[in-house]
Amino acid sequence: MSFPVITIDGPSASGKGTVASRVAAALGFHYLDSGALYRVLALYAQQKQVAWDNEARLALLAVRLPLSFEQGRACVDGQDCDDFIRGEEIGAGASQIAALPAVRSALLQRQRDFRQAPGLVTDGRDMGSVVFPDATLKIFLTASAQERAQRRYKQLIEKGQSANLARLQQDIEARDARDASRPVAPLRQEHDARLLDTTELDIATAVAQVLAWYRALP
Ligand code: DC
C-alpha cells in the first residue's frame, strides 16, 4: 500500500516551503523539505573539505549523510544547522551540487523513505517528476522573481540582517536559470502538475487552494 503524497515544486523563495509545511500540518501529514538535503550536503562537504564539484566524493558523502530533522529543523551529526544552511553561500553550494547526477541519485531513496503513514507533503524541484512520479497531487508553485526578491528582502530585514533588493533579485534569477537549465531534473512545470502562481496571493489563500484541490480528488 502506498501512502498519499502531495508534491509542491517550484523556484527558490516562492513560498513553497511555508505552503507545504502548513498543508502538511492541516492534514496531519509528514513534511519533507527536500532542498534541506542538498543544503545540508553542501554544508557537510564544506566541513569535510570536499569541493562542490567533486561528484564522486559528494555522492559518497550523500549516501552516509548524518542528517536528521528535529522539530522541523535540519541537523547534521545531531547539531542544529538550520539557520546556517539557509544563508546565500550554502544556497549557492546546494544549487551547484544539485546539478550533479550522482548526487541526485544518491539522495533519491532517502527522500522516498519519508513516504510514511498517514501521508507526506514535500517541496523541492523534482518531487513530482522524479522522486514521487506517482504522487496523489502535484503542484508547481511560483511567483515573479521581483516578488520573490521582495519577500526574501523582508525576511532578511526582519531577522536584522542587511540586504540589497537588486542583488537579491539578480541572485534569484541566476539560481532559477541554473536550476532550470541543468540536464538532470531541471526546474520546470510538469504536464501533470497544477500551476499555483502566488505573486498576488497570500499564504493562507495558497494553502486553502492546495487543500481544496486535494479534497476534491476522487
Ligand atoms: O528549495 P531550496 O532553495 O532550499 O533548494 C536549495 C537548492 O537545492 C536549489 O538551488 C535547488 C536544489 N534542489 C534540487 O535540485 N532539488 C530539490 N528537490 C530541492 C532542491
Side-chain angles (χ1 to χ4, degrees):
M1 136 142 217
S2 73
F3 302 108
V5 183
I6 300 175
T7 58
I8 304 186
D9 289 304
S12 297
S14 57
K16 61 190 189 310
T18 311
V19 172
S21 62
R22 291 197 194 178
V23 169
L27 294 171
F29 283 10
H30 300 281
Y31 166 57
L32 168 65
D33 164 10
S34 66
L37 271 71
Y38 292 93
R39 287 174 182 268
V40 169
L41 181 60
L43 170 66
Y44 192 59
Q46 195 180 54
Q47 289 172 350
K48 299 281 171 203
Q49 296 178 351
V50 171
W52 287 336
D53 61 0
N54 188 336
E55 184 166 4
R57 286 204 59 203
L58 286 166
L60 284 176
L61 285 188
V63 172
R64 54 184 174 84
L65 184 66
L67 162 98
S68 57
F69 289 98
E70 313 286 341
Q71 268 131 32
R73 293 178 62 84
C75 302
V76 67
D77 268 334
Q79 299 278 331
D80 186 323
C81 63
D82 206 275
D83 290 336
F84 199 69
I85 61 166
R86 305 293 162 192
E88 294 305 308
E89 188 201 353
I90 295 296
S95 171
Q96 194 179 332
I97 66 170
L100 305 172
V103 168
R104 302 198 74 84
S105 58
L107 290 176
L108 201 53
Q109 191 54 46
R110 277 190 97 126
Q111 296 173 84
R112 290 184 176 151
D113 291 343
F114 282 85
R115 186 176 196 165
Q116 287 173 15
L120 175 69
V121 185
T122 179
D123 76 85
R125 303 294 186 289
D126 62 340
M127 295 296 100
S129 53
V130 177
V131 184
F132 301 107
D134 64 335
T136 323
L137 173 64
K138 300 182 185 181
I139 290 162
F140 188 77
L141 191 144
T142 189
S144 68
Q146 191 184 15
E147 173 65 22
R148 288 183 281 135
Q150 260 154 12
R151 289 179 192 167
R152 183 90 181 109
Y153 179 81
K154 215 171 133 227
Q155 267 175 2
L156 291 170
I157 298 297
E158 276 167 8
K159 281 195 210 158
Q161 295 177 17
S162 64
N164 174 318
L165 185 59
R167 175 84 204 279
L168 282 172
Q169 186 169 335
Q170 268 173 16
D171 287 352
I172 281 179
E173 283 168 349
R175 188 164 331 158
D176 283 358
R178 194 164 49 221
D179 291 344
S181 64
R182 67 185 181 209
V184 278
L187 169 70
R188 61 161 185 242
Q189 183 188 353
E190 294 294 317
H191 68 280
D192 56 350
R194 300 184 200 205
L195 178 65
L196 186 53
D197 185 331
T198 67
T199 307
E200 308 212 344
L201 290 188
D202 61 17
I203 298 280
T205 313
V207 170
Q209 176 63 76
V210 177
L211 290 171
W213 278 335
Y214 181 69
R215 290 180 175 137
L217 290 175

